[in-house]
Amino acid sequence: MEKKGKTSIYIQELSDLALLQIEIGEFEEAEKNLSICLTHFKKQKDRLGISASLGLLGTLLYKKGDNEKSIEACEEALKIYKELHQYQEMTTCLKMIGLNYFKLKKYDEATDVFIECSSICSDHEDIHGLLDCLANLITIHETQENWEVVEELYRKTLKAYQQLKDQKGIIVSLLNLGIINKKYKKHDSALTLFKKAIKKAEEANLAEYILKGLSLVGESLFYMGQIKAAKDEFIKALKLAKKINAKNAIIQLTILLQSLGLKEQDIQKELNEQ
């Protein structure tokens, strides 16, 4: 292809090669190839080609840790995509800009970018894109320990997963909401959310989430002073953990039960009675 000259097909192949080089960390070679692509698209006045190359360059710079330059490249690409009304590409650029701000610990700027991205996704009924933005916003606010905001974001996440009828997403959102309520010592609310998650997990036959839910129910009951009920939930969880051979959970649950005063023979007896 090089003998035939830098045709549009050649440039497309070069762009694909650059993407692969970014994936395996060959940043110097990828940057050279993207530079050739960018020069070609500028000569052709191909604005979509220019923006695509800039977007890839932004990804490369992000992976290199050159966050300021990555933001610049992505913002240039974003400007073109906005003018051309390419909403999916706009959201991709915004996510990358937000991630760069997060790396720079510029949390307010990152939040603004992900909120803008969320709005675009909502306007275009892109629920998967919205969930990506919500996940990033949750990470930002968890880092800052803004738990009330995190709780509200998880509620939005739960609603989005319900729209998608994504059982795993619903279960994880319910568990996370319960964990936040537990953090605030709202143990009754936490218990309700954990039980809802367990019910959904049982319906979907997802043993690992049933196990997680049972463990969290046990913890909540313990903090509420219901020691016997907590012990019963931990025994249920341990029985399931043994059934699915969840080794870490078996160790953790055994330690928890021992901390409640049960000896090895007591635990085995309880398991046999379940």
Side-chain angles (χ1 to χ4, degrees):
M1 290 181 72
E2 282 177 349
K3 289 175 184 177
K4 292 180 182 179
K6 293 181 174 61
T7 61
S8 57
I9 298 170
Y10 173 88
I11 293 299
Q12 181 58 55
E13 292 289 338
L14 199 63
S15 180
D16 291 343
L17 176 60
L19 178 59
L20 291 169
Q21 288 167 329
I22 291 168
E23 290 296 321
I24 62 171
E26 290 184 359
F27 300 131
E28 193 175 326
E29 288 301 312
E31 198 162 355
K32 283 178 188 175
N33 290 332
L34 285 175
S35 178
I36 293 167
C37 294
L38 203 50
T39 301
H40 171 83
F41 289 128
K42 283 178 178 176
K43 282 180 182 176
Q44 297 293 320
K45 296 183 180 177
D46 181 342
R47 301 185 76 210
L48 275 175
I50 293 167
S51 52
S53 296
L54 286 167
L56 279 176
L57 182 61
T59 302
L60 183 154
L61 292 165
Y62 171 77
K63 291 200 169 192
K64 275 178 70 175
D66 200 340
N67 301 107
E68 295 284 3
K69 285 187 178 179
S70 177
I71 290 168
E72 287 174 19
C74 290
E75 283 181 339
E76 279 189 65
L78 178 63
K79 186 179 177 183
I80 297 170
Y81 285 135
K82 281 183 175 179
E83 289 170 4
L84 298 176
H85 306 289
Q86 302 288 314
Y87 95 88
Q88 283 187 321
E89 289 78 7
M90 283 163 58
T91 58
T92 301
C93 286
L94 285 166
K95 287 174 196 174
M96 185 55 66
I97 292 166
L99 288 170
N100 276 297
Y101 277 130
F102 180 75
K103 286 282 187 183
L104 292 166
K105 297 185 179 179
K106 294 184 176 181
Y107 300 128
D108 290 344
E109 290 89 339
T111 298
D112 290 344
V113 170
F114 284 121
I115 287 172
E116 182 185 349
C117 189
S118 299
S119 178
I120 294 168
C121 291
S122 295
D123 290 344
H124 291 85
E125 297 183 351
D126 179 1
I127 299 176
H128 290 289
L130 175 63
L131 283 165
D132 278 346
C133 293
L134 290 172
N136 283 303
L137 285 166
I138 286 167
T139 301
I140 292 165
H141 288 289
E142 281 181 338
T143 302
Q144 297 178 291
E145 299 186 353
N146 296 331
W147 300 116
E148 287 183 17
V149 179
V150 172
E151 183 176 3
E152 182 56 33
L153 289 167
Y154 272 128
R155 291 195 184 282
K156 289 181 179 180
T157 302
L158 174 61
K159 188 176 177 182
Y161 279 124
Q162 285 170 334
Q163 282 181 263
L164 290 172
K165 297 181 180 178
D166 182 324
Q167 295 305 310
K168 280 188 183 180
I170 292 167
I171 293 161
V172 171
S173 298
L174 286 167
L175 291 173
N176 285 329
L177 279 167
I179 289 165
I180 290 169
N181 274 268
K182 186 161 72 77
K183 189 181 287 287
Y184 278 115
K185 296 184 170 57
K186 297 177 184 176
H187 297 299
D188 286 327
S189 298
L191 207 55
T192 301
L193 288 159
F194 294 145
K195 286 180 177 178
K196 280 184 182 178
I198 292 169
K199 187 179 177 184
K200 287 281 183 187
E202 287 172 341
E203 288 169 4
N205 197 28
L206 295 168
E208 61 184 299
Y209 292 110
I210 300 170
L211 176 57
K212 179 72 172 173
L214 289 170
S215 300
L216 287 166
V217 166
E219 285 179 29
S220 291
L221 289 167
F222 176 81
Y223 288 118
M224 292 167 77
Q226 298 181 35
I227 308 303
K228 185 180 181 305
K231 181 260 296 176
D232 291 342
E233 292 301 316
F234 289 141
I235 289 291
K236 282 183 199 174
L238 180 58
K239 189 166 186 176
L240 178 57
K242 284 178 176 286
K243 184 179 177 180
I244 64 173
N245 197 28
K247 292 177 182 177
N248 287 338
I250 292 168
I251 294 166
Q252 289 165 5
L253 287 161
T254 301
I255 291 167
L256 274 171
L257 286 162
Q258 287 170 344
S259 72
L260 295 178
L262 275 73
K263 295 178 182 176
E264 185 63 42
Q265 57 267 36
D266 298 324
I267 294 170
Q268 193 56 51
K269 184 183 175 185
E270 293 276 355
L271 287 169
N272 293 335
E273 289 174 359
Q274 272 284 337

